[in-house]
Coordinates of all heavy atoms in Angstrom, one line a residue:
M259 N 34.7 61.0 24.6 CA 34.8 60.0 23.6 C 35.0 58.6 24.2 O 36.0 58.5 24.9 CB 35.9 60.4 22.6 CG 35.9 59.5 21.3 SD 34.8 60.4 20.1 CE 35.4 59.7 18.6
I260 N 34.1 57.7 23.9 CA 34.3 56.4 24.4 C 35.2 55.5 23.4 O 34.9 55.5 22.3 CB 32.9 55.7 24.6 CG1 32.2 56.4 25.7 CG2 33.1 54.2 25.0 CD1 30.6 56.2 25.5
M261 N 36.2 55.0 24.0 CA 37.1 54.2 23.2 C 37.4 52.8 23.9 O 37.4 52.7 25.0 CB 38.4 54.9 23.0 CG 38.4 56.1 22.1 SD 38.2 55.8 20.4 CE 39.6 56.7 19.7
K262 N 37.4 51.8 23.1 CA 37.8 50.5 23.6 C 39.2 50.1 23.0 O 39.6 50.5 21.9 CB 36.8 49.5 23.1 CG 35.4 49.7 23.8 CD 34.5 48.6 23.5 CE 33.1 48.8 24.2 NZ 32.3 47.7 24.1
K263 N 39.9 49.3 23.8 CA 41.3 48.9 23.4 C 41.4 47.4 23.3 O 40.8 46.6 24.0 CB 42.2 49.3 24.6 CG 42.7 50.7 24.7 CD 43.8 50.9 25.6 CE 43.4 52.0 26.6 NZ 44.3 52.0 27.9
M264 N 42.1 47.1 22.2 CA 42.5 45.7 22.0 C 43.9 45.7 21.5 O 44.3 46.6 20.8 CB 41.6 45.0 21.0 CG 40.4 44.3 21.6 SD 39.3 43.5 20.5 CE 39.5 41.8 21.0
T265 N 44.7 44.6 21.8 CA 46.0 44.6 21.3 C 46.2 43.8 20.0 O 45.2 43.1 19.6 CB 47.0 43.8 22.4 OG1 46.5 42.5 22.5 CG2 47.0 44.5 23.7
C266 N 47.2 44.1 19.3 CA 47.6 43.3 18.1 C 47.4 41.8 18.4 O 46.7 41.1 17.6 CB 49.0 43.7 17.7 SG 49.6 42.8 16.3
K267 N 47.9 41.3 19.4 CA 47.9 39.9 19.8 C 46.4 39.5 19.9 O 46.1 38.3 19.5 CB 48.6 39.7 21.1 CG 49.9 38.9 21.0 CD 50.5 38.6 22.3 CE 52.0 38.5 22.2 NZ 52.7 38.7 23.4
Q268 N 45.7 40.2 20.6 CA 44.2 39.9 20.8 C 43.5 39.8 19.4 O 42.4 39.1 19.3 CB 43.5 40.9 21.7 CG 43.7 40.7 23.2 CD 43.1 41.8 23.9 OE1 43.3 43.0 23.8 NE2 42.2 41.4 24.8
L269 N 44.0 40.5 18.5 CA 43.3 40.5 17.2 C 44.0 39.6 16.1 O 43.9 39.8 14.9 CB 43.3 42.0 16.6 CG 42.3 42.9 17.5 CD1 42.7 44.3 17.3 CD2 40.9 42.6 17.0
G270 N 44.7 38.6 16.7 CA 45.3 37.6 15.8 C 46.7 38.0 15.3 O 47.3 37.4 14.4
G271 N 47.3 39.1 15.9 CA 48.5 39.5 15.5 C 49.7 38.9 16.3 O 49.5 37.8 16.9
A272 N 50.7 39.7 16.6 CA 51.9 39.1 17.2 C 52.6 40.0 18.2 O 53.6 39.6 18.8 CB 52.9 38.7 16.1
C273 N 52.0 41.2 18.4 CA 52.8 42.0 19.4 C 51.7 42.7 20.3 O 50.5 42.4 20.3 CB 53.6 43.2 18.7 SG 52.6 44.4 17.8
D274 N 52.3 43.5 21.3 CA 51.4 44.2 22.3 C 50.9 45.5 22.0 O 50.4 46.3 22.8 CB 52.1 44.2 23.6 CG 52.2 42.7 24.2 OD1 51.3 41.9 24.0 OD2 53.3 42.4 24.7
K275 N 51.1 46.0 20.7 CA 50.6 47.3 20.3 C 49.1 47.4 20.5 O 48.4 46.5 20.2 CB 50.9 47.5 18.8 CG 50.5 48.9 18.4 CD 50.9 49.1 16.9 CE 50.3 50.3 16.3 NZ 50.7 51.5 16.9
E276 N 48.7 48.5 21.1 CA 47.3 48.7 21.4 C 46.6 49.5 20.4 O 47.1 50.5 19.9 CB 47.2 49.5 22.8 CG 47.2 48.5 24.0 CD 47.0 49.2 25.3 OE1 46.9 50.4 25.3 OE2 46.7 48.5 26.3
F277 N 45.4 49.2 20.0 CA 44.5 49.9 19.2 C 43.4 50.3 19.9 O 42.8 49.7 20.8 CB 44.0 49.1 18.0 CG 45.2 48.4 17.2 CD1 45.4 47.0 17.4 CD2 46.0 49.1 16.4 CE1 46.5 46.4 16.7 CE2 47.1 48.5 15.7 CZ 47.3 47.1 15.8
Q278 N 42.9 51.5 19.6 CA 41.7 52.1 20.3 C 40.6 52.5 19.2 O 41.0 53.2 18.3 CB 42.0 53.4 21.0 CG 42.8 53.1 22.4 CD 43.0 54.4 23.2 OE1 42.2 55.1 23.2 NE2 44.2 54.3 23.8
A279 N 39.5 52.1 19.4 CA 38.4 52.4 18.5 C 37.0 52.3 19.1 O 36.9 51.8 20.3 CB 38.4 51.5 17.3
N280 N 36.0 52.8 18.4 CA 34.7 52.8 19.0 C 33.9 51.6 18.6 O 33.0 51.1 19.2 CB 33.8 54.0 18.7 CG 34.4 55.3 19.3 OD1 34.5 55.3 20.5 ND2 34.8 56.3 18.5
T281 N 34.3 51.0 17.4 CA 33.6 49.9 16.8 C 34.6 48.8 16.4 O 35.8 49.1 16.2 CB 32.8 50.2 15.5 OG1 33.8 50.6 14.5 CG2 31.8 51.3 15.7
F282 N 34.1 47.6 16.5 CA 34.9 46.4 16.0 C 35.5 46.6 14.6 O 36.6 46.2 14.3 CB 34.1 45.1 16.2 CG 34.9 43.9 15.9 CD1 35.9 43.4 16.7 CD2 34.7 43.1 14.7 CE1 36.7 42.3 16.4 CE2 35.4 42.0 14.4 CZ 36.4 41.6 15.3
E283 N 34.6 47.1 13.7 CA 35.1 47.3 12.3 C 36.3 48.2 12.3 O 37.2 47.9 11.5 CB 33.9 47.9 11.5 CG 32.9 46.9 11.1 CD 32.0 46.5 12.2 OE1 31.9 47.1 13.3 OE2 31.5 45.3 12.1
E284 N 36.2 49.3 13.0 CA 37.4 50.3 13.1 C 38.6 49.7 13.6 O 39.6 49.8 13.0 CB 37.0 51.5 14.0 CG 36.4 52.7 13.4 CD 36.2 53.7 14.4 OE1 37.0 54.4 14.8 OE2 34.9 53.8 14.9
I285 N 38.5 48.9 14.7 CA 39.7 48.3 15.3 C 40.2 47.2 14.4 O 41.4 47.0 14.3 CB 39.4 47.8 16.8 CG1 40.6 48.0 17.6 CG2 38.9 46.4 16.8 CD1 40.4 48.0 19.1
G286 N 39.3 46.6 13.7 CA 39.8 45.6 12.7 C 40.6 46.2 11.6 O 41.6 45.6 11.2
E287 N 40.1 47.3 11.1 CA 40.9 48.0 10.1 C 42.2 48.5 10.6 O 43.2 48.4 9.8 CB 40.0 49.3 9.6 CG 39.0 49.0 8.6 CD 39.5 48.2 7.4 OE1 40.5 48.7 6.8 OE2 38.9 47.2 7.0
M288 N 42.3 49.0 11.8 CA 43.5 49.4 12.3 C 44.6 48.3 12.5 O 45.7 48.5 12.1 CB 43.3 50.1 13.8 CG 42.5 51.3 13.7 SD 42.0 51.7 15.4 CE 42.9 53.3 15.6
S289 N 44.1 47.1 12.9 CA 45.0 46.1 13.1 C 45.4 45.5 11.7 O 46.6 45.0 11.6 CB 44.3 44.9 14.0 OG 43.6 44.0 13.2
K290 N 44.5 45.6 10.7 CA 44.8 45.0 9.4 C 46.0 45.9 8.8 O 46.9 45.5 8.2 CB 43.6 45.1 8.5 CG 43.6 44.1 7.4 CD 42.5 44.4 6.4 CE 41.1 43.9 6.9 NZ 40.1 44.3 5.9
K291 N 45.8 47.3 9.0 CA 46.8 48.2 8.5 C 48.1 48.0 9.2 O 49.2 48.0 8.5 CB 46.3 49.7 8.7 CG 47.0 50.7 7.9 CD 46.4 52.1 8.1 CE 47.3 53.1 7.4 NZ 48.7 53.1 8.0
H292 N 48.1 47.9 10.5 CA 49.3 47.6 11.2 C 50.0 46.2 10.7 O 51.2 46.2 10.5 CB 49.0 47.5 12.8 CG 50.0 46.8 13.5 ND1 51.3 47.5 13.8 CD2 50.1 45.7 14.2 CE1 51.9 46.7 14.6 NE2 51.3 45.6 14.8
A293 N 49.2 45.2 10.5 CA 49.7 44.0 10.1 C 50.3 44.1 8.7 O 51.4 43.5 8.4 CB 48.6 42.9 10.0
M294 N 49.8 44.9 7.8 CA 50.3 45.1 6.5 C 51.7 45.9 6.5 O 52.6 45.5 5.9 CB 49.4 46.0 5.6 CG 48.2 45.2 5.2 SD 48.4 43.6 4.5 CE 48.9 44.0 2.8
D295 N 51.7 46.9 7.5 CA 53.0 47.6 7.8 C 54.1 46.7 8.2 O 55.3 46.7 7.7 CB 52.8 48.7 8.8 CG 52.0 49.9 8.3 OD1 51.9 50.0 7.0 OD2 51.6 50.7 9.1
M296 N 53.8 45.8 9.2 CA 54.7 44.8 9.8 C 55.1 43.9 8.6 O 56.3 43.5 8.6 CB 54.2 44.1 11.0 CG 53.8 45.1 12.1 SD 55.1 46.2 12.5 CE 56.1 45.3 13.6
F297 N 54.2 43.5 7.8 CA 54.4 42.5 6.7 C 55.4 43.2 5.8 O 56.4 42.5 5.4 CB 53.1 42.2 6.0 CG 53.3 41.3 4.9 CD1 53.3 39.9 5.1 CD2 53.4 41.8 3.5 CE1 53.5 39.1 4.0 CE2 53.4 40.9 2.5 CZ 53.5 39.5 2.7
Q298 N 55.3 44.4 5.5 CA 56.2 45.1 4.6 C 57.6 45.2 5.2 O 58.6 45.3 4.4 CB 55.6 46.4 4.2 CG 54.7 46.3 2.9 CD 53.8 47.4 2.7 OE1 53.8 48.4 3.3 NE2 52.8 47.2 1.8
N299 N 57.7 45.3 6.5 CA 58.9 45.4 7.2 C 59.6 44.1 7.3 O 60.7 43.9 7.8 CB 58.7 46.0 8.6 CG 58.4 47.5 8.6 OD1 58.6 48.1 7.5 ND2 57.8 47.9 9.7
G300 N 58.9 43.0 6.9 CA 59.3 41.7 7.0 C 59.5 41.1 8.4 O 60.3 40.3 8.7
D301 N 58.6 41.6 9.3 CA 58.7 41.2 10.7 C 58.2 39.8 10.8 O 57.0 39.4 10.5 CB 57.7 42.2 11.5 CG 57.8 41.8 13.0 OD1 58.7 42.3 13.7 OD2 56.8 41.1 13.5
K302 N 59.1 38.9 11.3 CA 58.9 37.5 11.3 C 57.6 37.0 12.2 O 56.8 36.3 11.7 CB 60.1 36.7 11.8 CG 61.2 36.7 10.7 CD 61.7 35.3 10.4 CE 62.7 35.3 9.3 NZ 63.9 35.9 9.6
P303 N 57.5 37.5 13.4 CA 56.4 37.1 14.2 C 55.0 37.5 13.6 O 54.0 36.7 13.6 CB 56.5 37.8 15.5 CG 58.0 38.1 15.6 CD 58.4 38.3 14.2
H304 N 55.0 38.6 12.9 CA 53.7 39.0 12.3 C 53.5 38.2 10.9 O 52.3 37.8 10.6 CB 53.8 40.5 11.9 CG 53.6 41.4 13.1 ND1 54.5 41.7 14.0 CD2 52.4 41.9 13.6 CE1 54.1 42.5 15.0 NE2 52.7 42.7 14.8
L305 N 54.6 37.8 10.2 CA 54.4 37.0 9.1 C 53.8 35.7 9.4 O 52.9 35.2 8.8 CB 55.7 36.7 8.4 CG 56.4 38.0 7.7 CD1 57.8 37.6 7.1 CD2 55.5 38.5 6.6
K306 N 54.3 35.2 10.5 CA 53.8 33.9 11.0 C 52.3 33.9 11.4 O 51.4 33.2 11.0 CB 54.6 33.4 12.3 CG 54.4 32.0 12.7 CD 55.4 31.6 13.8 CE 55.0 30.2 14.4 NZ 54.0 30.5 15.4
A307 N 52.0 35.1 12.1 CA 50.5 35.3 12.5 C 49.7 35.4 11.3 O 48.6 34.9 11.4 CB 50.5 36.5 13.4
M308 N 50.2 36.1 10.3 CA 49.4 36.4 9.1 C 49.2 35.0 8.3 O 48.1 34.8 7.8 CB 50.0 37.4 8.2 CG 49.8 38.8 8.7 SD 50.6 40.1 7.7 CE 49.4 40.4 6.4
N309 N 50.2 34.2 8.4 CA 50.1 32.8 7.7 C 49.0 32.0 8.4 O 48.2 31.3 7.8 CB 51.3 32.1 7.8 CG 52.3 32.5 6.7 OD1 51.9 33.0 5.6 ND2 53.7 32.3 6.9
E310 N 49.0 32.1 9.7 CA 48.0 31.4 10.5 C 46.6 31.9 10.2 O 45.6 31.1 10.1 CB 48.3 31.5 11.9 CG 49.4 30.5 12.5 CD 49.9 30.8 13.7 OE1 49.4 31.5 14.6 OE2 51.1 30.2 14.0
M311 N 46.4 33.2 10.1 CA 45.2 33.8 9.7 C 44.8 33.3 8.3 O 43.6 33.0 8.1 CB 45.2 35.4 9.7 CG 45.2 35.9 11.2 SD 43.7 35.5 12.0 CE 42.5 36.6 11.4
Q312 N 45.7 33.3 7.4 CA 45.4 32.8 6.0 C 44.9 31.3 6.0 O 44.0 31.0 5.2 CB 46.6 33.0 5.1 CG 46.5 34.4 4.5 CD 47.8 34.9 3.9 OE1 48.8 34.1 3.8 NE2 47.8 36.1 3.5
E313 N 45.5 30.6 6.9 CA 45.1 29.2 6.9 C 43.6 29.1 7.5 O 42.8 28.4 6.9 CB 45.9 28.4 8.0 CG 47.2 27.9 7.4 CD 47.0 26.9 6.3 OE1 46.3 26.0 6.4 OE2 47.6 27.2 5.2
L314 N 43.3 29.9 8.4 CA 42.0 30.0 9.0 C 41.0 30.6 7.9 O 39.9 30.0 7.9 CB 42.0 31.0 10.2 CG 40.7 31.1 11.1 CD1 40.5 29.9 11.9 CD2 40.8 32.4 11.9
M315 N 41.4 31.5 7.1 CA 40.6 31.9 6.1 C 40.2 31.1 5.0 O 39.2 31.3 4.3 CB 41.2 33.2 5.4 CG 41.0 34.5 6.3 SD 41.6 35.9 5.4 CE 42.7 36.6 6.6
K316 N 40.9 29.9 4.9 CA 40.5 28.9 3.9 C 39.1 28.3 4.2 O 38.5 27.8 3.4 CB 41.6 27.8 3.9 CG 42.8 28.3 3.1 CD 43.9 27.2 3.2 CE 45.1 27.6 2.6 NZ 46.3 26.7 2.9
S317 N 38.7 28.4 5.5 CA 37.5 27.9 5.9 C 36.6 29.1 6.3 O 36.7 29.7 7.3 CB 37.5 26.9 7.1 OG 36.3 26.9 7.8
P318 N 35.6 29.4 5.4 CA 34.7 30.6 5.7 C 34.0 30.4 7.0 O 33.8 31.4 7.7 CB 33.7 30.6 4.6 CG 34.3 29.7 3.4 CD 35.2 28.8 4.2
E319 N 33.6 29.2 7.4 CA 33.0 29.0 8.7 C 33.9 29.3 9.9 O 33.5 30.0 10.8 CB 32.6 27.5 8.8 CG 31.3 27.2 7.9 CD 30.1 28.1 8.3 OE1 29.7 28.1 9.5 OE2 29.6 28.7 7.4
A320 N 35.1 28.8 9.8 CA 36.1 29.1 10.9 C 36.4 30.5 11.0 O 36.5 31.1 12.1 CB 37.4 28.4 10.6
M321 N 36.5 31.2 9.8 CA 36.7 32.7 9.8 C 35.5 33.4 10.5 O 35.8 34.3 11.2 CB 36.9 33.1 8.3 CG 37.5 34.4 8.1 SD 39.2 34.4 8.8 CE 39.4 36.2 9.2
K322 N 34.4 33.1 10.1 CA 33.2 33.7 10.6 C 33.1 33.5 12.1 O 32.9 34.5 12.8 CB 31.9 33.1 9.9 CG 30.8 34.0 10.0 CD 29.7 33.5 9.1 CE 28.2 34.0 9.4 NZ 27.5 33.3 10.3
A323 N 33.4 32.3 12.6 CA 33.4 32.1 14.0 C 34.4 32.9 14.8 O 34.2 33.4 15.8 CB 33.6 30.5 14.2
W324 N 35.6 33.0 14.1 CA 36.7 33.8 14.7 C 36.3 35.2 14.8 O 36.4 35.8 15.9 CB 37.9 33.6 13.8 CG 39.2 34.3 14.4 CD1 40.1 33.6 15.2 CD2 39.6 35.6 14.3 NE1 41.1 34.5 15.6 CE2 40.9 35.8 15.1 CE3 39.1 36.8 13.6 CZ2 41.5 37.0 15.2 CZ3 39.8 37.9 13.8 CH2 41.1 38.0 14.5
F325 N 35.7 35.8 13.8 CA 35.3 37.2 13.8 C 34.2 37.5 14.9 O 34.2 38.4 15.6 CB 34.8 37.7 12.4 CG 35.9 38.3 11.7 CD1 36.5 37.7 10.5 CD2 36.4 39.6 12.0 CE1 37.5 38.2 9.8 CE2 37.5 40.1 11.3 CZ 38.0 39.5 10.2
E326 N 33.3 36.5 14.9 CA 32.1 36.6 15.8 C 32.6 36.7 17.3 O 32.3 37.4 18.1 CB 31.0 35.6 15.7 CG 30.2 35.8 14.4 CD 29.6 37.3 14.5 OE1 29.0 37.7 15.5 OE2 29.9 37.9 13.4
N327 N 33.6 35.7 17.5 CA 34.3 35.6 18.8 C 35.0 36.9 19.2 O 34.8 37.3 20.3 CB 35.3 34.6 18.7 CG 35.2 33.5 19.8 OD1 34.4 33.8 20.8 ND2 35.9 32.5 19.8
K328 N 35.7 37.5 18.3 CA 36.5 38.7 18.5 C 35.4 40.0 18.8 O 35.7 40.8 19.5 CB 37.4 39.0 17.4 CG 38.6 38.1 17.3 CD 39.5 38.2 18.6 CE 40.3 37.0 18.8 NZ 41.1 37.0 20.0
R329 N 34.4 39.9 17.9 CA 33.4 40.9 18.1 C 32.8 41.0 19.5 O 32.7 42.0 20.1 CB 32.3 40.8 16.9 CG 31.4 42.0 17.0 CD 30.2 41.6 16.1 NE 30.6 41.3 14.7 CZ 30.7 42.3 13.7 NH1 30.5 43.5 14.0 NH2 31.1 41.9 12.6
K330 N 32.5 39.8 19.9 CA 31.9 39.6 21.3 C 32.9 40.1 22.3 O 32.6 40.7 23.3 CB 31.6 38.1 21.5 CG 30.2 37.8 21.1 CD 29.8 36.4 21.6 CE 28.8 35.7 20.6 NZ 29.1 34.3 20.4
E331 N 34.2 39.7 22.2 CA 35.2 40.1 23.0 C 35.3 41.6 23.0 O 35.4 42.2 24.2 CB 36.5 39.5 22.5 CG 37.6 39.2 23.6 CD 38.8 38.5 23.0 OE1 38.7 37.5 22.3 OE2 39.9 39.1 23.3
F332 N 35.3 42.2 22.0 CA 35.4 43.7 21.8 C 34.1 44.3 22.5 O 34.2 45.3 23.3 CB 35.4 44.1 20.3 CG 35.4 45.6 20.1 CD1 36.7 46.2 20.2 CD2 34.4 46.4 19.8 CE1 36.8 47.6 20.1 CE2 34.4 47.7 19.8 CZ 35.6 48.4 19.9
N333 N 32.9 43.8 22.2 CA 31.8 44.4 22.8 C 31.6 44.2 24.4 O 31.0 45.0 25.0 CB 30.5 43.7 22.1 CG 30.2 44.2 20.7 OD1 30.8 45.3 20.4 ND2 29.7 43.4 19.9
A334 N 32.3 43.2 24.7 CA 32.4 43.0 26.3 C 33.4 43.8 27.0 O 33.3 43.8 28.3 CB 32.6 41.4 26.5
L335 N 34.2 44.5 26.3 CA 35.3 45.3 26.9 C 34.6 46.4 27.7 O 33.7 47.0 27.2 CB 36.2 45.8 25.9 CG 37.1 44.9 25.2 CD1 37.9 45.6 24.1 CD2 38.2 44.3 26.2
P336 N 35.3 46.8 28.8 CA 34.8 48.0 29.5 C 35.1 49.2 28.7 O 36.1 49.3 28.0 CB 35.5 48.0 30.8 CG 36.8 47.3 30.6 CD 36.3 46.2 29.5
E337 N 34.2 50.3 28.6 CA 34.4 51.5 28.0 C 35.2 52.4 28.9 O 34.8 52.6 30.0 CB 33.1 52.1 27.5 CG 32.5 51.3 26.5 CD 31.0 51.7 26.2 OE1 30.5 52.6 26.9 OE2 30.4 51.1 25.2
N338 N 36.4 52.9 28.3 CA 37.1 53.8 29.2 C 37.6 55.1 28.6 O 37.3 55.2 27.4 CB 38.3 53.0 29.8 CG 39.1 52.3 28.8 OD1 39.3 52.7 27.6 ND2 39.7 51.2 29.2
Ligands
ZN272 ZN1 51.6 43.7 15.9

């Protein structure tokens, strides 16, 4: 099974937790779920990171560019 790894931080989060997935969509879902868990725990660094993402989401263009960037980063990762 080929899996690629990205950390919470690399995906716009706040910690070094690693996610493993085959597709960018999957890893995006995993990081989103993790962010929601941390949000519910009231974790300050994650709250701050989520606020920054929400700021970014106000501009659909900026959001699209961010996702494309991350998708490229994911696709460029070595498969291990
Ligand atoms: Zn995290």
Side-chain angles (χ1 to χ4, degrees):
M259 193 85 156
I260 296 160
M261 292 286 234
K262 292 186 178 190
K263 275 188 237 168
M264 272 181 111
T265 64
C266 177
K267 252 181 206 163
Q268 281 178 300
L269 291 158
C273 71
D274 291 318
K275 186 179 166 62
E276 278 185 346
F277 305 105
Q278 287 186 32
N280 292 307
T281 66
F282 181 71
E283 281 69 24
E284 265 180 80
I285 214 160
E287 278 305 308
M288 290 168 120
S289 88
K290 209 191 283 173
K291 197 176 172 295
H292 164 71
M294 292 309 282
D295 286 346
M296 297 313 272
F297 179 79
Q298 270 157 15
N299 290 342
D301 183 81
K302 288 231 172 68
H304 284 83
L305 290 179
K306 190 171 171 281
M308 283 177 88
N309 278 338
E310 279 164 18
M311 284 301 281
Q312 267 160 9
E313 278 301 307
L314 188 71
M315 277 185 234
K316 283 178 187 164
S317 159
E319 284 304 305
M321 197 61 207
K322 198 163 164 271
W324 188 91
F325 268 108
E326 283 313 306
N327 233 347
K328 290 296 162 188
R329 186 192 300 275
K330 270 189 211 139
E331 208 176 309
F332 181 84
N333 288 336
L335 289 173
E337 291 168 353
N338 48 31

